[in-house]
């Protein structure tokens, strides 16, 4: 029987305007990737899960406006969403096809970055994961379709995730922790970035003024039409090019990037205990071995006896504990993503090996559909949309002398969007 798409779609992008205005400020802290160890049941309603007795800790990400934009600069190692990336290695950025959608060829938009160092790995003393995405839903559809038949090599992607890591002693940052008193500075400048998007390396130079730099011909054309045509002539005619004529990199036009937020981190278990009294928590928290309690089971029985609907009910119950969450993080090898549907999930053979060391990949984080609300994406037929996107990274976080190593992501769309050859 077909899943009830109307029921599922009724609980997608939601406004938070009606939520309680009393908010608890969450700390902006690195994700404890080396020590993060939520029951396997937290990974989703899955009859095939075998490691259900394993306990681990799921960290949740919430978006908040930064108190000061300077808090999101690269030498403070931020976790952030929207705006432009704070590149960890500011010089050796991804270039060429790595920065573009594999389907339409357009430069990818920055989604978010997560600072997730690994204490036990000296090569990953600093470690940040960066996610980029094509804003075209048509491209995301194609990405989701082709991931079932994706081969090793250079697959086409509309979603790309890069891992960058550095040892404590490096040429970019001090070996001492930042003081966060406005005295912190990086040790060196970064690569020149595109004057239009402020995201990718500006390896193309304006043929007129020889000053403006771009990541692509499209961004050069957009900048030209938006006013650089006049600025370019002004620069050429001036005896000295005034820096005030060129736009500052990072001053990105609002239409080319999503709104910028800081990602605050909290423990899912802490939120459970804070948000519920003892009696209500018993009805919300799943019992041992990942089995639903009586209240949850009664709610799930209202759905058709269909795997997708049961999975969706579990997904909704889980995120309802903290509906503002945009990110779920847990690098424990026994934990799996929290899938919205049973259809469209990968099996073990669908997850490739690391492209660099050929070792296994493990699940590390996933982004949730509530992120679309914060980015101002509307519920329209052609708007960007997803159920969840899970990211798998090299289990050993290998260091192969490549600054930005591309990791693997799995796109799960809603029922009417799911297509499998």
């Amino acid at each position: 029987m077909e899943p009830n798409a109307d029921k599922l779609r009724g609980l997608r992008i939601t406004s938070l305007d009606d939520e309680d205005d009393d908010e608890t400020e969450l700390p902006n802290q690195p994700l404890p990737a080396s020590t993060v160890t939520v029951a396997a049941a937290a990974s989703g309603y899955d009859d095939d899960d075998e490691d259900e007795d394993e306990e681990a800790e799921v960290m949740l990400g919430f978006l908040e406006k930064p108190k000061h934009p300077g808090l999101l600069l690269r030498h403070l190692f931020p976790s952030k969403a929207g705006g432009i990336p704070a590149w960890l290695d500011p010089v050796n950025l991804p270039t060429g096809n790595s920065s573009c959608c594999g389907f339409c060829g357009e430069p990818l938009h920055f989604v978010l970055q997560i600072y997730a160092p690994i204490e036990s790995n000296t090569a990953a003393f600093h470690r940040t994961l960066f996610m980029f995405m094509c804003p075209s839903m048509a491209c995301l559809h194609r990405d989701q379709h082709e991931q079932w038949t994706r081969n090793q090599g250079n697959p086409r992607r509309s979603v790309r995730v890069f891992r960058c890591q550095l040892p404590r002693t490096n040429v970019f940052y001090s070996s001492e922790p930042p003081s966060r008193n406005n005295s912190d500075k990086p040790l060196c400048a970064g690569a020149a970035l595109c004057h239009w998007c402020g995201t990718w390396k500006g390896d193309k130079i304006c043929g007129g003024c020889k000053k403006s730099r771009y990541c692509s011909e499209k961004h050069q054309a957009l900048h030209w039409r938006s006013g650089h045509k006049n600025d370019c002539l002004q620069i050429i005619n001036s005896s000295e090019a005034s820096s005030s004529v060129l736009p500052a990199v990072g001053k990105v036009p609002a239409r080319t990037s999503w709104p910028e937020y800081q990602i605050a981190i909290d423990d899912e278990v802490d939120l459970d205990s804070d948000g519920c009294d003892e009696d209500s928590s018993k009805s919300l928290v799943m019992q041992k071995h990942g089995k639903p309690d009586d209240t949850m089971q009664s709610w799930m029985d209202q759905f058709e006896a269909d795997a997708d609907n049961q999975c969706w009910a579990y997904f909704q119950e889980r995120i309802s504990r903290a509906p503002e969450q945009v990110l779920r993080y847990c690098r424990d090898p026994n934990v799996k993503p929290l899938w919205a549907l049973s259809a469209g999930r990968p099996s073990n053979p669908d997850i490739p090996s690391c492209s660099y060391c050929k070792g296994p990949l493990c699940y590390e984080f996933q982004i949730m559909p509530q992120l679309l609300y914060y980015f101002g994406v509307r519920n329209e037929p052609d708007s960007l949309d997803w159920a969840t996107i899970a990211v798998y990274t090299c289990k050993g976080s290998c260091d192969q002398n490549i600054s930005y190593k591309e990791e693997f992501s799995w796109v799960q769309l809603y029922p009417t969007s799911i297509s499998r050859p």
Side-chain angles (χ1 to χ4, degrees):
M1 186 175 295
E2 291 296 323
N4 191 327
D6 291 337
K7 289 182 180 179
L8 304 190
R9 288 188 169 274
L11 294 170
R12 287 162 60 186
I13 305 173
T14 57
S15 171
L16 303 179
D17 295 340
D18 297 331
E19 296 294 328
D20 191 350
D21 291 333
D22 295 333
E23 297 179 356
T24 301
E25 183 173 338
L26 302 176
N28 183 27
Q29 60 191 45
L31 290 160
S34 62
T35 58
V36 171
T37 62
V38 165
S43 64
Y45 185 92
D46 190 349
D47 292 336
D48 297 329
D49 287 346
E50 297 177 354
D51 301 313
E52 293 175 346
D53 290 330
E54 292 291 333
E55 292 190 358
E57 181 182 24
V58 167
M59 308 301 293
L60 303 183
F62 303 88
L63 298 189
E64 58 186 26
K65 284 293 184 181
K67 294 180 179 179
H68 189 278
L71 297 175
L72 302 181
L73 297 177
R74 61 181 173 88
H75 55 278
L76 298 180
F77 313 108
S79 292
K80 63 187 293 287
I84 60 176
W87 294 109
L88 184 61
D89 178 341
V91 175
N92 305 295
L93 309 185
T95 58
N97 292 335
S98 295
S99 64
C100 298
C101 175
F103 300 100
C104 68
E106 300 291 347
L108 297 172
H109 287 207
F110 172 66
V111 179
L112 56 75
Q113 65 186 75
I114 307 167
Y115 183 64
I118 301 179
E119 295 177 1
S120 60
N121 187 339
T122 58
F125 182 86
H126 296 298
R127 179 175 178 270
T128 302
L129 303 171
F130 298 82
M131 175 180 281
F132 299 84
M133 184 182 300
C134 179
S136 167
M137 187 61 196
C139 292
L140 190 63
H141 270 288
R142 296 177 67 183
D143 189 303
Q144 183 271 338
H145 179 82
E146 290 196 8
Q147 67 190 1
W148 295 105
T149 57
R150 186 170 292 129
N151 297 318
Q152 293 280 12
N154 296 306
R156 294 190 297 173
R157 299 306 317 256
S158 72
V159 179
R160 294 187 186 273
V161 177
F162 299 97
R163 168 173 54 91
C164 182
Q165 58 194 42
L166 297 170
R168 180 167 187 166
T169 302
N170 60 81
V171 300
F172 305 120
Y173 309 103
S174 169
S175 60
E176 297 301 317
S179 60
R180 300 183 183 275
N181 61 1
N182 296 324
S183 64
D184 304 300
K185 301 291 182 183
L187 299 181
C188 67
L193 301 177
C194 175
H195 274 96
W196 178 255
C197 69
T199 297
W200 303 106
K201 182 178 289 189
D203 51 9
K204 296 176 174 59
I205 302 177
C206 175
C209 66
K210 310 295 184 184
K211 298 293 182 181
S212 292
R213 307 179 71 97
Y214 306 101
C215 65
S216 63
E217 292 182 359
K218 178 181 180 179
H219 285 186
Q220 182 176 6
L222 289 172
H223 192 210
W224 182 264
R225 293 197 296 267
S226 70
H228 183 63
K229 178 179 180 179
N230 296 328
D231 293 340
C232 189
L233 292 174
Q234 186 177 344
I235 295 172
I236 294 172
N237 294 332
S238 63
S239 57
E240 291 185 359
S242 171
S243 60
S244 63
V245 175
L246 286 174
V249 172
K251 301 293 185 180
V252 186
R255 62 182 177 276
T256 66
S257 67
W258 286 302
E260 186 174 53
Y261 297 91
Q262 176 179 333
I263 299 179
I265 304 300
D266 208 347
D267 191 311
E268 185 179 40
V269 175
D270 291 342
L271 292 173
D272 284 344
S273 60
D274 292 343
C276 307
D277 58 30
E278 182 177 357
D279 292 334
S280 62
S281 64
K282 291 179 181 179
S283 67
L284 285 176
V285 180
M286 306 301 285
Q287 303 298 320
K288 290 183 179 180
H289 310 302
K291 301 298 184 183
D293 64 10
D294 292 341
T295 302
M296 182 61 185
Q297 188 63 57
S298 175
W299 183 42
M300 292 171 65
D301 287 345
Q302 296 177 21
F303 287 80
E304 300 168 359
D306 177 273
D308 273 345
N309 286 328
Q310 292 185 34
C311 190
W312 176 257
Y314 183 89
F315 177 83
Q316 283 298 127
E317 188 278 334
R318 191 85 191 188
I319 64 175
S320 68
R321 306 175 193 180
E324 299 94 343
Q325 63 183 278
V326 301
L327 174 79
R328 298 177 66 86
Y329 181 97
C330 186
R331 202 169 182 269
D332 187 284
N334 295 318
V335 172
K336 299 177 183 178
L338 177 65
W339 297 113
L341 303 162
S342 60
R345 295 183 301 181
S347 60
N348 288 336
D350 293 318
I351 306 301
S353 300
C354 175
S355 300
Y356 306 95
C357 69
K358 306 306 178 185
L361 301 185
C362 68
Y363 162 70
E364 185 158 354
F365 76 93
Q366 67 189 106
I367 62 172
M368 311 303 285
Q370 193 64 26
L371 181 61
L372 296 163
Y373 165 76
Y374 286 98
F375 280 176
V377 178
R378 299 180 179 180
N379 275 326
E380 296 176 350
D382 298 326
S383 295
L384 198 62
D385 197 10
W386 60 75
T388 190
I389 300 177
V391 174
Y392 298 79
T393 62
C394 177
K395 186 175 182 179
S397 198
C398 66
D399 185 26
Q400 299 291 322
N401 296 318
I402 300 173
S403 291
Y404 287 89
K405 291 167 276 289
E406 187 167 356
E407 299 290 10
F408 182 75
S409 59
W410 188 271
V411 177
Q412 187 180 61
L413 302 182
Y414 285 98
T416 57
S417 302
I418 293 175
S419 58
R420 181 171 181 172

Short mmCIF file of all heavy atoms in Angstrom, two decimals, residues 58 74 116 122 170 199 233 239 275 280 292 320 334 338 358 371 388 398 400:
data_model
loop_
_atom_site.label_atom_id
_atom_site.label_comp_id
_atom_site.label_asym_id
_atom_site.label_seq_id
_atom_site.Cartn_x
_atom_site.Cartn_y
_atom_site.Cartn_z
N VAL A 58 24.31 11.23 21.04
CA VAL A 58 23.99 12.02 19.86
C VAL A 58 24.01 13.50 20.24
O VAL A 58 23.36 13.91 21.21
CB VAL A 58 22.62 11.63 19.28
CG1 VAL A 58 22.17 12.67 18.25
CG2 VAL A 58 22.69 10.26 18.63
N ARG A 74 37.63 32.18 10.62
CA ARG A 74 38.24 30.85 10.53
C ARG A 74 39.19 30.54 11.67
O ARG A 74 39.29 29.38 12.11
CB ARG A 74 38.97 30.69 9.19
CG ARG A 74 40.10 31.67 8.94
CD ARG A 74 40.72 31.41 7.57
NE ARG A 74 41.71 32.40 7.19
CZ ARG A 74 43.00 32.34 7.51
NH1 ARG A 74 43.44 31.32 8.22
NH2 ARG A 74 43.84 33.28 7.11
N ALA A 116 34.93 19.40 14.18
CA ALA A 116 34.85 18.11 14.86
C ALA A 116 36.24 17.48 14.95
O ALA A 116 36.56 16.53 14.24
CB ALA A 116 33.89 17.18 14.11
N THR A 122 46.54 12.83 15.99
CA THR A 122 47.33 14.06 16.01
C THR A 122 47.23 14.83 14.71
O THR A 122 47.40 16.05 14.69
CB THR A 122 48.81 13.74 16.28
OG1 THR A 122 49.30 12.83 15.28
CG2 THR A 122 48.99 13.11 17.66
N ASN A 170 50.90 24.09 12.76
CA ASN A 170 50.68 24.24 11.33
C ASN A 170 50.98 25.69 10.95
O ASN A 170 51.20 26.55 11.81
CB ASN A 170 49.24 23.85 10.95
CG ASN A 170 48.21 24.70 11.66
OD1 ASN A 170 47.93 25.83 11.24
ND2 ASN A 170 47.65 24.18 12.75
N THR A 199 33.05 32.38 -1.86
CA THR A 199 33.17 31.00 -1.40
C THR A 199 34.37 30.29 -2.00
O THR A 199 35.22 29.75 -1.28
CB THR A 199 31.88 30.22 -1.72
OG1 THR A 199 30.79 30.80 -0.99
CG2 THR A 199 32.01 28.75 -1.37
N LEU A 233 35.47 50.29 -15.21
CA LEU A 233 35.93 51.48 -15.93
C LEU A 233 36.53 52.49 -14.97
O LEU A 233 37.54 53.16 -15.28
CB LEU A 233 34.77 52.11 -16.70
CG LEU A 233 34.21 51.28 -17.87
CD1 LEU A 233 32.98 51.95 -18.44
CD2 LEU A 233 35.27 51.10 -18.95
N SER A 239 44.32 56.50 -11.41
CA SER A 239 45.77 56.29 -11.39
C SER A 239 46.15 55.15 -10.47
O SER A 239 47.11 54.42 -10.72
CB SER A 239 46.48 57.58 -10.94
OG SER A 239 45.99 57.98 -9.66
N GLY A 275 13.40 18.83 28.95
CA GLY A 275 12.13 19.19 28.33
C GLY A 275 10.94 18.41 28.84
O GLY A 275 9.81 18.70 28.49
N SER A 280 6.14 12.35 31.83
CA SER A 280 6.02 12.51 30.39
C SER A 280 7.24 11.94 29.69
O SER A 280 7.14 11.47 28.56
CB SER A 280 5.86 13.99 30.02
OG SER A 280 7.00 14.73 30.42
N PRO A 292 9.32 0.75 20.95
CA PRO A 292 8.45 1.86 21.34
C PRO A 292 7.70 1.52 22.62
O PRO A 292 7.36 0.36 22.87
CB PRO A 292 7.49 2.00 20.16
CG PRO A 292 8.12 1.23 19.03
CD PRO A 292 8.93 0.15 19.67
N SER A 320 10.67 15.42 17.54
CA SER A 320 9.72 16.27 18.25
C SER A 320 10.25 16.66 19.63
O SER A 320 9.78 17.62 20.24
CB SER A 320 8.37 15.57 18.40
OG SER A 320 8.46 14.46 19.27
N ASN A 334 28.80 2.22 15.75
CA ASN A 334 27.61 1.37 15.87
C ASN A 334 26.31 2.13 15.65
O ASN A 334 25.24 1.53 15.64
CB ASN A 334 27.58 0.73 17.26
CG ASN A 334 28.72 -0.23 17.47
OD1 ASN A 334 29.07 -1.00 16.57
ND2 ASN A 334 29.33 -0.19 18.65
N LEU A 338 19.33 8.63 11.61
CA LEU A 338 17.90 8.59 11.90
C LEU A 338 17.17 8.80 10.58
O LEU A 338 17.01 9.92 10.11
CB LEU A 338 17.53 9.70 12.90
CG LEU A 338 16.05 9.85 13.24
CD1 LEU A 338 15.54 8.60 13.98
CD2 LEU A 338 15.83 11.09 14.10
N LYS A 358 41.22 3.79 1.10
CA LYS A 358 40.46 2.57 0.80
C LYS A 358 39.93 1.88 2.07
O LYS A 358 39.47 0.74 2.02
CB LYS A 358 41.30 1.57 -0.01
CG LYS A 358 41.90 2.16 -1.27
CD LYS A 358 40.86 2.80 -2.16
CE LYS A 358 41.47 3.44 -3.40
NZ LYS A 358 40.46 4.18 -4.20
N LEU A 371 16.39 22.82 8.58
CA LEU A 371 17.37 23.77 8.07
C LEU A 371 16.79 24.60 6.94
O LEU A 371 17.14 25.78 6.77
CB LEU A 371 18.61 23.02 7.59
CG LEU A 371 19.77 23.85 7.04
CD1 LEU A 371 20.31 24.80 8.09
CD2 LEU A 371 20.88 22.93 6.52
N THR A 388 16.24 13.84 4.76
CA THR A 388 17.50 13.99 5.49
C THR A 388 18.64 13.72 4.53
O THR A 388 18.46 13.07 3.48
CB THR A 388 17.57 13.04 6.71
OG1 THR A 388 18.70 13.39 7.52
CG2 THR A 388 17.69 11.58 6.28
N CYS A 398 41.73 9.56 7.59
CA CYS A 398 43.07 9.43 7.01
C CYS A 398 43.65 10.78 6.60
O CYS A 398 42.93 11.73 6.31
CB CYS A 398 43.05 8.48 5.82
SG CYS A 398 42.09 9.10 4.40
N GLN A 400 46.09 12.09 3.82
CA GLN A 400 46.74 11.69 2.57
C GLN A 400 47.39 12.87 1.86
O GLN A 400 47.52 12.86 0.64
CB GLN A 400 45.70 11.01 1.66
CG GLN A 400 45.07 9.76 2.25
CD GLN A 400 46.05 8.61 2.36
OE1 GLN A 400 46.88 8.42 1.49
NE2 GLN A 400 45.96 7.84 3.43
#
